[in-house]
């Protein structure tokens, strides 16, 4: 996701380095128990936590050159390479945790130039096949992000082409744009590859409340369905941010690998950040979520994440509201570690 020039610019003299190094994830002496052959349901959250920790250690090593940090990353990735399976669960949460974790682990490994056949097997054989599910915008975004991170790390052309195709398909199903979609959202497909009205309506709000679209896949309220509407807009603010942050990560990975981002993907992201930024900034200023309301409120602090990456990605084309959020005290004052797949954003992106 990061170019060599971006990594070289990280400095141990910056304010954000001090914040990140002083956080729980900056402690190079933090310990984790070894995993067995399977990541159990009770270990999933610990594994996700460790993946973020290892990414932070790799980023701090890139800034300060402390060899103990790289040694910690290598030691723990050696252990993770021994895992051969994930314990399944009815809610499929193990898939989402794999998505969040693999992004962090692949990036950490790439930053410290770690190579190991067992770790590669874990990413490619045990994790990559899990990275899909029927619907859920932030799930699809995280899966796309992780697929691209894995494929770029292992430098597999076929895997890369598959990951990029997944990214382009899923972002079109999760972010509406009239230039590319006309008056209807892109349908999700069922197990037989056929467009599914039910899956698509659930994807656009039916799973957690009232769907945003009709049976012909057009908006129920066209006046409140501008370009950039996200499939999870009526769920809460936080899940939209988690999804958009992952889409930005994926887009940055594509560009960092010297590949081309499809125009529709850029335009969807630009419109999505403008629309969501307007809603989040209004909420921070007034305490009220603009219409249409959400089924689950703001979704917690996750809505304060995913902004730094956007401001860096869009540069001088950054919409006004996301630009304002990148300087907002509730965004800049958030935990420097972040959460899930949105790790150390302020350190990596803040000016």
């Amino acid at each position: 996701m990061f170019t060599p020039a971006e990594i070289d610019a990280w400095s141990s003299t910056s304010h954000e380095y001090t914040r990140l190094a002083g956080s729980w994830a900056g402690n190079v002496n933090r310990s984790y128990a070894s995993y067995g052959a399977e990541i159990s349901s009770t270990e999933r959250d610990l594994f996700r936590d460790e993946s973020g920790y290892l990414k932070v250690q790799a980023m701090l090593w890139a800034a300060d050159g402390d060899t103990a940090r790289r040694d910690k990353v290598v030691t723990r990735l050696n252990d993770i390479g021994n895992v051969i399976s994930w314990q399944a669960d009815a809610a499929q949460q193990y898939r989402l945790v794999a998505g969040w974790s693999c992004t962090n682990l692949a990036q950490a490994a790439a930053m410290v130039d770690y190579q190991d056949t067992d770790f590669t097997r874990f990413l490619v054989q045990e994790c990559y096949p899990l990275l899909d599910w029927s619907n859920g915008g932030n799930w699809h975004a995280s899966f796309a992000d992780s697929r691209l991170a894995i494929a770029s790390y292992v430098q597999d052309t076929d895997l890369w082409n598959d990951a990029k195709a997944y990214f382009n398909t899923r972002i079109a199903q999760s972010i509406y744009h009239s230039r590319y979609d006309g008056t209807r959202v892109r349908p999700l497909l069922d197990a037989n590859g056929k467009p599914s009205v039910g899956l698509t309506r659930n994807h656009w709000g039916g799973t957690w409340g009232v769907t945003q679209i009709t049976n012909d896949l057009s908006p129920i309220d066209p006046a409140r369905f501008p370009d950039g509407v996200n499939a999870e807009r009526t769920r809460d603010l936080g899940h939209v941010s988690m999804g958009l942050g992952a889409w930005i990560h994926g887009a940055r990975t594509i560009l960092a690998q010297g590949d081309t981002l499809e125009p529709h993907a850029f335009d969807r992201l630009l419109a999505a950040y403008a629309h969501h930024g307007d809603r989040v900034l209004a909420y921070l200023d007034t305490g009220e979520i603009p219409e249409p309301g959400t089924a689950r409120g703001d979704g917690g602090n996750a809505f304060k994440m995913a902004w730094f990456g956007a401001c860096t990605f869009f540069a001088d084309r950054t919409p006004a509201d996301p630009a304002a959020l990148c300087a907002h005290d509730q965004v800049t004052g958030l935990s420097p570690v972040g959460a899930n797949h949105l790790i150390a954003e302020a350190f990596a992106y803040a000016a």
Side-chain angles (χ1 to χ4, degrees), residues 147-203:
R147 283 169 173 244
L148 289 164
I150 292 170
S152 62
Y153 168 65
V154 303
Q155 294 291 290
D156 184 304
T157 301
D158 290 340
L159 211 61
W160 175 257
N161 290 335
D162 178 77
K164 198 168 68 161
Y166 185 89
F167 174 92
N168 284 310
T169 296
R170 290 304 196 186
I171 196 172
Q173 293 172 334
S174 286
I175 301 173
Y176 168 78
H177 200 296
S178 60
R179 180 183 302 171
Y180 305 99
D181 305 329
T183 59
R184 292 176 173 83
V185 301
R186 296 285 183 96
L188 272 68
L189 307 180
D190 63 19
N192 298 314
K194 302 295 184 181
S196 169
V197 172
L199 278 177
T200 308
R201 295 193 77 202
N202 284 341
H203 185 66

Side-chain angles (χ1 to χ4, degrees), residues 11-324:
S11 170
S12 61
T13 63
S14 72
H15 168 70
E16 287 302 334
Y17 171 87
T18 301
R19 284 214 312 146
L20 187 60
S23 71
W24 67 266
N27 176 12
V28 72
N29 296 314
R30 186 179 178 88
S31 63
Y32 287 87
S34 294
Y35 303 101
E38 181 176 75
I39 300 295
S40 71
S41 295
T42 58
E43 289 176 320
R44 283 200 313 260
D45 287 347
L46 180 65
F47 189 81
R48 178 194 62 185
D49 172 275
E50 183 174 15
S51 77
Y53 169 74
L54 294 179
K55 180 175 176 178
V56 168
Q57 287 297 311
M59 297 175 82
L60 291 174
W61 170 77
D64 64 20
D66 183 349
T67 57
R69 299 192 189 282
R70 186 183 186 280
D71 291 346
K72 176 57 71 72
V73 175
V74 169
T75 298
R76 295 306 303 155
L77 293 183
N78 284 340
D79 180 65
I80 290 169
N82 294 320
V83 175
I84 61 173
S85 65
W86 293 77
Q87 183 179 0
D89 65 283
Q92 303 293 319
Q93 194 70 18
Y94 71 103
R95 294 179 183 270
L96 182 57
V97 172
W100 287 338
S101 302
C102 288
T103 296
N104 299 327
L105 295 175
Q107 290 170 356
M111 280 187 275
V112 302
D113 195 24
Y114 173 83
Q115 296 293 331
D116 178 80
T117 55
D118 286 334
F119 179 67
T120 295
R121 174 204 49 76
F122 169 70
L123 292 179
V124 175
Q125 297 182 25
E126 310 306 334
C127 297
Y128 194 97
L130 302 179
L131 302 179
D132 191 25
W133 189 234
S134 55
N135 63 352
N138 78 93
W139 286 49
H140 291 166
S142 187
F143 293 155
D145 180 22
S146 288
R147 283 169 173 244
L148 289 164
I150 292 170
S152 62
Y153 168 65
V154 303
Q155 294 291 290
D156 184 304
T157 301
D158 290 340
L159 211 61
W160 175 257
N161 290 335
D162 178 77
K164 198 168 68 161
Y166 185 89
F167 174 92
N168 284 310
T169 296
R170 290 304 196 186
I171 196 172
Q173 293 172 334
S174 286
I175 301 173
Y176 168 78
H177 200 296
S178 60
R179 180 183 302 171
Y180 305 99
D181 305 329
T183 59
R184 292 176 173 83
V185 301
R186 296 285 183 96
L188 272 68
L189 307 180
D190 63 19
N192 298 314
K194 302 295 184 181
S196 169
V197 172
L199 278 177
T200 308
R201 295 193 77 202
N202 284 341
H203 185 66
W204 283 88
T207 296
W208 51 83
V210 178
T211 186
Q212 301 181 70
I213 58 173
T214 65
N215 283 333
D216 70 0
L217 306 187
S218 61
I220 289 175
D221 187 353
R224 288 182 175 158
F225 211 85
D227 292 344
V229 170
N230 183 282
E232 295 192 299
R233 179 179 62 166
T234 56
R235 182 178 187 175
D236 56 52
L237 298 178
H239 279 88
V240 175
S241 281
M242 286 194 288
L244 292 183
W247 291 126
I248 282 286
H249 282 185
R252 288 176 59 81
T253 298
I254 290 171
L255 296 179
Q257 293 299 307
D259 210 331
T260 302
L261 184 67
E262 294 293 331
H264 81 90
F266 180 90
D267 290 345
R268 290 179 196 277
L269 283 169
L270 186 64
Y273 265 97
H275 181 58
H276 186 52
D278 173 75
R279 289 170 60 78
V280 169
L281 190 60
Y283 175 61
L284 288 177
D285 287 345
T286 67
E288 296 183 4
I289 297 174
E291 291 296 326
T294 61
R296 300 178 181 176
D298 62 22
N301 276 335
F303 76 88
K304 301 173 186 176
M305 297 192 287
W307 302 107
F308 291 118
C311 289
T312 300
F313 178 74
F314 295 122
D316 58 3
R317 295 187 62 179
T318 305
D321 292 328

